[in-house]
Amino acid sequence: MNTLLSNTKVKIALSALLFILMLLAPAFLSEFRLSLLGKFLAYAILAMGLDLIWGYTGILSLGHGVYFGLGAYCMAMHLKLVASNGQLPDFMSWSGVEQLPAFWLPFHSAGTAMLLALLVPVAVAFVLGYLTFRNRIRGTFFSILSQALVIITITLFVGQQGYTGGTNGLTNFDTFLGLKLGEPSTKLTLYYITVVVVGLVLLLCLWLASSRLGKILVAIRDAENRVRFIGYNPVAYKVFIYCVSAALAGLAGVLFVLQEGIISPAQMGIVPSIEMVLWVAIGGRATIFGALIGAVLTNSAKTTFSEAYPEWWPILMGAMFIIVTLFLPKGITGTVKDWAAGRSRHTGERAAPAALKPAPPLGFAELEKSQQGG
């Protein structure tokens, strides 16, 4: 119990510290750097959702760029309609489209666009997740299927240039809810909105991870068949958390396109999808904080390297990934956590009698006992 309370206090303290640092960032960063940080924080929302399915549930998705892109496109379609002032979007006119397609009509409303930015990724994730998890497709096979989803989606978006903007995507946005997107005050407002959303998503993910649901997800990751044998339905849990992760990716896409001002098929391709997994791996799987920190640090390093060493930055990024994989297999946060736990255990062994040493984690025994008690 004392260990649990201690971990909870540490999480609360870290959450408060991160939130304060993010709120104070505008006082120390230029407008350009603040815009970059806002974009990285949007990525962090996606990374935390990805950590829920990979770090906690063991589902390696290499196609999360699709859900990110779908959410971004939904918001971009609304922004494009507003910028067109009642006329056809420019790319439609260039492609010979004479009338606004019916599926664009709901995006005249900002609220509907925001809702669809969450529901469309969830719908796609539900279909893919249910069909694959029900047939017990997992591991490498699921990862390959998720990459196939990326290829199909990009082919569709590029091929339907008259309806999606093709390879150029959607851009040239002016306003959102009457606010000029190019104004410094609007950018600052969007940054603070992103910070608040990151804080809420962080608390949501921490709550899910520490709840009974989180224990079941970890059990599914470690031994799915055993979870099934003790009476749980892994399919329902996996589909649910996969849909939650897709919704968070769509939300990240919305915040990204509002701050970046563009979304194209290239931003939801295979390479970006793999990079998203690397954010979680570098930060630390199954830590939530690690996903957030990994997304911000990795993208910050990418920006720094590309600015300082334009010709060498891909090599430097690759070297960073290799170093973390070889020497920090649990990521930055996981390694720090293990180091702190080792110091605490060493101190406790010297100070406390053997009978008072904390018991090891119960794992499946805890799940089975809680089920019997329920």
Side-chain angles (χ1 to χ4, degrees):
M1 180 63 71
N2 290 334
T3 303
L4 180 61
L5 290 175
S6 177
N7 290 337
T8 302
K9 290 179 180 178
V10 170
K11 290 179 180 179
I12 293 175
L14 285 175
S15 299
L17 178 61
L18 285 172
F19 193 69
I20 292 172
L21 290 175
M22 288 186 291
L23 288 177
L24 294 177
F28 304 98
L29 298 179
S30 65
E31 182 180 332
F32 172 71
R33 298 297 174 187
L34 188 67
S35 178
L36 284 178
L37 179 58
K39 184 174 68 172
F40 299 161
L41 290 176
Y43 288 151
I45 295 173
L46 183 150
M48 287 187 282
L50 188 56
D51 194 25
L52 286 176
I53 64 168
W54 183 36
Y56 286 89
T57 320
I59 302 171
L60 178 56
S61 172
L62 297 179
H64 249 54
V66 169
Y67 306 126
F68 174 81
L70 289 174
Y73 264 95
C74 286
M75 178 51 64
M77 290 165 73
H78 167 71
L79 297 175
K80 194 65 178 177
L81 289 175
V82 173
S84 300
N85 294 319
Q87 304 296 320
L88 275 179
D90 48 15
F91 67 88
M92 289 188 182
S93 300
W94 301 336
S95 302
V97 178
E98 299 179 353
Q99 186 176 0
L100 189 69
F103 70 89
W104 271 74
L105 296 177
F107 295 97
H108 280 291
S109 167
T112 303
M114 176 66 73
L115 183 61
L116 290 174
L118 301 179
L119 293 182
V120 172
V122 167
V124 175
F126 177 82
V127 173
L128 177 64
Y130 180 74
L131 293 177
T132 54
F133 300 147
R134 186 189 64 173
N135 290 288
R136 302 190 184 182
I137 298 174
R138 55 187 178 183
T140 305
F141 298 102
F142 178 82
S143 299
I144 293 173
L145 282 176
S146 65
Q147 286 203 325
L149 175 65
V150 174
I151 296 173
I152 293 171
T153 305
I154 291 180
T155 302
L156 176 64
F157 274 67
V158 171
Q160 298 299 318
Q161 182 172 343
Y163 303 107
T164 63
T167 55
N168 295 324
L170 302 179
T171 187
N172 295 328
F173 311 132
D174 298 322
T175 61
F176 176 64
L177 298 178
L179 300 174
K180 294 286 186 179
L181 292 176
E183 293 290 333
S185 59
T186 302
K187 293 181 179 181
L188 183 60
T189 301
L190 288 173
Y191 171 79
Y192 279 125
I193 291 174
T194 303
V195 170
V196 172
V197 174
V198 167
L200 293 175
V201 170
L202 175 63
L203 293 177
L204 172 65
C205 291
L206 288 174
W207 174 71
L208 288 174
S210 60
S211 67
R212 180 188 179 93
L213 171 65
K215 294 181 176 64
I216 296 174
L217 294 179
V218 172
I220 291 173
R221 179 196 67 191
D222 294 339
E224 183 174 337
N225 287 333
R226 187 171 178 181
V227 173
R228 186 178 289 108
F229 291 153
I230 62 176
Y232 292 95
N233 179 13
V235 175
Y237 289 100
K238 292 168 74 174
V239 171
F240 171 76
I241 203 64
Y242 190 53
C243 289
V244 170
S245 181
L248 293 179
L251 178 59
V254 170
L255 294 171
F256 170 85
V257 80
L258 286 172
Q259 297 178 88
E260 186 70 3
I262 185 174
I263 182 65
S264 69
Q267 292 165 300
M268 55 180 178
I270 291 178
V271 173
S273 296
I274 294 175
E275 285 184 354
M276 294 168 185
V277 174
L278 291 174
W279 301 340
V280 180
I282 289 175
R285 288 177 57 189
T287 59
I288 302 299
F289 283 106
L292 193 163
I293 294 171
V296 174
L297 287 183
T298 305
N299 284 284
S300 298
K302 182 178 180 180
T303 300
T304 302
F305 291 156
S306 62
E307 290 176 350
Y309 309 100
E311 298 179 357
W312 294 92
W313 74 266
I315 297 176
L316 294 174
M317 288 296 295
M320 185 180 72
F321 295 148
I322 293 173
I323 290 171
V324 170
T325 302
L326 292 178
F327 300 103
L328 303 175
K330 293 186 177 181
I332 297 172
T333 307
T335 302
V336 172
K337 186 177 180 181
D338 284 354
W339 176 79
R343 284 181 57 87
S344 177
R345 190 182 306 114
H346 181 67
T347 303
E349 287 175 352
R350 289 186 303 173
L356 297 180
K357 293 180 183 178
L362 295 178
F364 276 99
E366 183 180 353
L367 262 185
E368 293 169 345
K369 185 180 295 185
S370 64
Q371 186 195 31
Q372 293 170 1

